[in-house]
């Protein structure tokens, strides 16, 4: 009798990889059954309110968008989520086996909320002014950068409740310069229209970062990504992405949860102790990256071995 110990992996096929390279995204990809996601989300929602183990204190008002970062470091179901083979194996196919999760965040849209501005992010200096991820330079030139984002729909995501929009194939050229700086204006929330669509960037106007102030995103290239609860989309943060405003019913809110990954050679928050953005601030005293796969031969970053509630972060082995 032969015993097979082979474990299922979720590595991308060659065809999927080619598609990803061409389009800059892949999805929707099912991670959880709808019912399972709905059950999980109920528990997560309850646990989110308990900040006793969260690494950042609660932000007030608009700053709450920043204090909802990194709850994978204190909520077991989110710790488990960012470590899920269904996610990690796929990201490892793109970035290589040695992988860090450096950020997770919630993206809610409630009734009446504006859509998210069109944007691209390479080093995530856009709001704080300091690069949050820095790739090693290549041939003496600064590397292009970016992170792989896995955005999972925790609720239905529809045209009416503010689903994501993507522009395929736009991930290799940056239309924005993240070092330009944007001005924060809490009053601008839900107050601006851009080409007839209510949009903003959580208190900023992403158009301020345009390399060419006269340029406009070509909306004809965009398509809305409708997703069921438990489905995710995997995309380069340098892909042109946005979301529609929530024009639907009150009970039909949408909740996305983005987990962001980089290979271990990337420096996360280099030289940064405090991050000021979105009208709030966080200190990184309790922050750590999570090694979700492989080994860290670089030692650039603090790596959390377990969550704040003792969930063990045991990296997966690829291959
Ligand atoms: O969910 C949204 O509206 C925006 C998400 C986003 O920009 C991201 O995940 O990088
Ligand atoms: Fe984004």
């Amino acid at each position: 009798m032969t015993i097979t110990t082979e474990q299922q992996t979720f590595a991308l096929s060659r065809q999927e990889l080619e598609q990803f390279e061409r389009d800059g995204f892949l999805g929707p990809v099912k991670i959880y059954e709808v019912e399972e996601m709905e059950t999980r989300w109920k528990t997560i929602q309850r646990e989110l309110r308990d900040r006793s183990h969260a690494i950042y204190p609660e932000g007030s008002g608009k700053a709450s968008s920043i204090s909802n970062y990194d709850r994978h470091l204190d909520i077991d179901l989110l710790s488990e989520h960012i470590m899920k083979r269904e996610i990690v194996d796929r990201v490892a196919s793109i970035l290589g086996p040695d992988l860090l999760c450096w950020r997770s965040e919630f993206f809610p849209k409630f009734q009446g909320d504006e859509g998210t501005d069109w944007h691209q992010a390479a080093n995530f200096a856009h709001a704080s002014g300091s690069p949050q991820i820095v790739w090693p330079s290549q041939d003496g030139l600064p590397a292009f950068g970016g992170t792989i984002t896995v955005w999972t729909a925790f609720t239905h995501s529809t045209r009416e409740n503010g689903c994501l929009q993507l522009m395929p194939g736009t991930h290799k050229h940056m239309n924005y310069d993240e070092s330009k700086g944007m001005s924060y204006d809490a009053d601008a929330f839900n107050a601006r229209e851009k080409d007839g669509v209510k949009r903003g960037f959580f208190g900023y106007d992403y158009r301020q970062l345009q390399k060419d102030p006269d340029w406009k995103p070509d909306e004809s290239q965009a398509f809305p990504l409708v997703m069921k609860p438990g489905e995710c989309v995997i995309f380069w943060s340098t892909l042109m992405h946005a979301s529609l405003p929530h024009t639907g019913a009150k009970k039909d809110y949408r909740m996305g949860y983005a987990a962001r990954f980089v290979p271990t050679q990337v420096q996360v928050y280099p030289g940064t102790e405090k991050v000021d953005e979105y009208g709030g601030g966080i200190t990184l005293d309790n922050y750590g990256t999570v090694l979700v796969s492989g080994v860290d031969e670089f030692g650039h970053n603090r790596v959390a071995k377990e969550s704040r509630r003792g969930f063990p972060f045991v990296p997966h082995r690829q291959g």
Side-chain angles (χ1 to χ4, degrees):
M1 194 176 76
T2 47
I3 300 169
T4 38
T5 51
E6 203 181 301
Q7 232 191 324
Q8 190 182 6
T9 79
F10 298 89
L12 299 179
S13 67
R14 222 172 95 176
Q15 193 203 344
E16 286 172 317
L17 267 173
E18 280 169 14
Q19 194 185 327
F20 187 85
E21 165 76 12
R22 183 190 67 219
D23 296 341
F25 80 95
L26 205 65
V29 175
K30 184 166 85 181
I31 304 295
Y32 306 100
E33 298 295 338
V34 171
E35 301 73 37
E36 186 184 358
M37 186 70 248
E38 287 173 347
T39 309
R40 280 176 174 256
W41 173 229
K42 277 197 191 113
T43 308
I44 294 166
Q45 242 176 319
R46 201 170 52 239
E47 294 182 351
L48 279 171
R49 285 185 225 122
D50 175 4
R51 296 197 74 95
S52 59
H53 290 67
I55 66 162
Y56 312 119
E58 182 153 23
S60 59
K62 304 292 190 268
S64 59
S65 65
I66 184 164
S67 60
N68 77 22
Y69 282 179
D70 300 335
R71 297 300 301 273
H72 63 280
L73 294 175
D74 79 289
I75 292 179
D76 284 358
L77 284 180
L78 297 178
S79 307
E80 196 184 293
H81 175 76
I82 61 133
M83 301 286 309
K84 260 191 108 59
R85 279 214 92 114
E86 286 84 341
I87 291 176
V88 172
D89 289 354
R90 289 182 167 102
V91 179
S93 299
I94 299 162
L95 293 178
D98 303 326
L99 270 188
L100 299 169
C101 174
W102 68 279
R103 159 78 60 77
S104 73
E105 55 194 292
F106 284 95
F107 285 102
K109 294 281 178 217
F110 297 106
Q111 187 182 40
D113 278 356
E114 64 195 14
T116 304
D117 275 343
W118 282 107
H119 66 285
Q120 296 171 296
N123 65 18
F124 286 76
H126 47 222
S128 68
S130 304
Q132 298 182 350
I133 49 171
V134 176
W135 285 68
S137 66
Q138 283 162 354
D139 307 324
L141 294 167
F144 191 65
T147 187
I148 293 290
T149 294
V150 179
W151 192 106
T152 305
F154 277 16
T155 64
H156 276 282
S157 187
T158 64
R159 283 178 184 78
E160 293 73 34
N161 75 6
C163 70
L164 282 178
Q165 293 174 284
L166 303 174
M167 289 188 191
T170 53
H171 54 298
K172 292 183 185 166
H173 170 79
M174 285 290 283
N175 300 303
Y176 304 90
D177 173 357
E178 291 166 285
S179 70
K180 272 189 158 181
M182 294 183 282
S183 42
Y184 180 77
D185 177 5
D187 294 334
F189 265 94
N190 293 330
R192 279 200 192 108
E193 282 206 356
K194 291 163 187 170
D195 290 320
V197 183
K198 205 161 85 170
R199 282 195 213 272
F201 199 74
F202 317 104
Y204 297 96
D205 183 342
Y206 217 82
R207 294 177 303 188
Q208 291 177 352
L209 298 184
Q210 280 177 208
K211 287 182 178 166
D212 172 1
D214 298 325
W215 168 87
K216 263 189 194 177
D218 176 6
E219 300 266 355
S220 73
Q221 286 186 52
F223 79 98
L225 194 70
V226 172
M227 290 162 77
K228 292 198 197 85
E231 287 182 335
C232 79
V233 56
I234 302 168
F235 65 98
W236 271 118
S237 57
T238 53
L239 183 74
M240 283 289 288
H241 60 289
S243 68
L244 291 168
H246 189 313
T247 54
K250 185 166 179 191
K251 65 176 193 333
D252 181 32
Y253 66 95
R254 78 93 149 141
M255 186 61 72
Y257 182 65
R260 310 201 193 272
F261 300 88
V262 288
T264 47
Q265 64 264 37
V266 170
Q267 296 182 60
V268 180
Y269 294 123
T272 308
E273 281 161 24
K274 190 164 184 297
V275 181
D276 289 305
E277 53 184 20
Y278 304 104
I282 48 170
T283 54
L284 298 175
D285 304 350
N286 294 321
Y287 174 78
T289 60
V290 177
L291 185 68
V292 295
S293 166
V295 289
D296 175 15
E297 284 171 352
F298 295 89
H300 289 324
N301 305 299
R302 241 186 290 158
V303 176
K305 293 279 174 251
E306 57 176 32
S307 82
R308 303 264 287 174
R309 289 191 193 267
F311 184 98
F313 291 130
V314 182
H316 296 294
R317 261 183 302 189
Q318 299 297 328

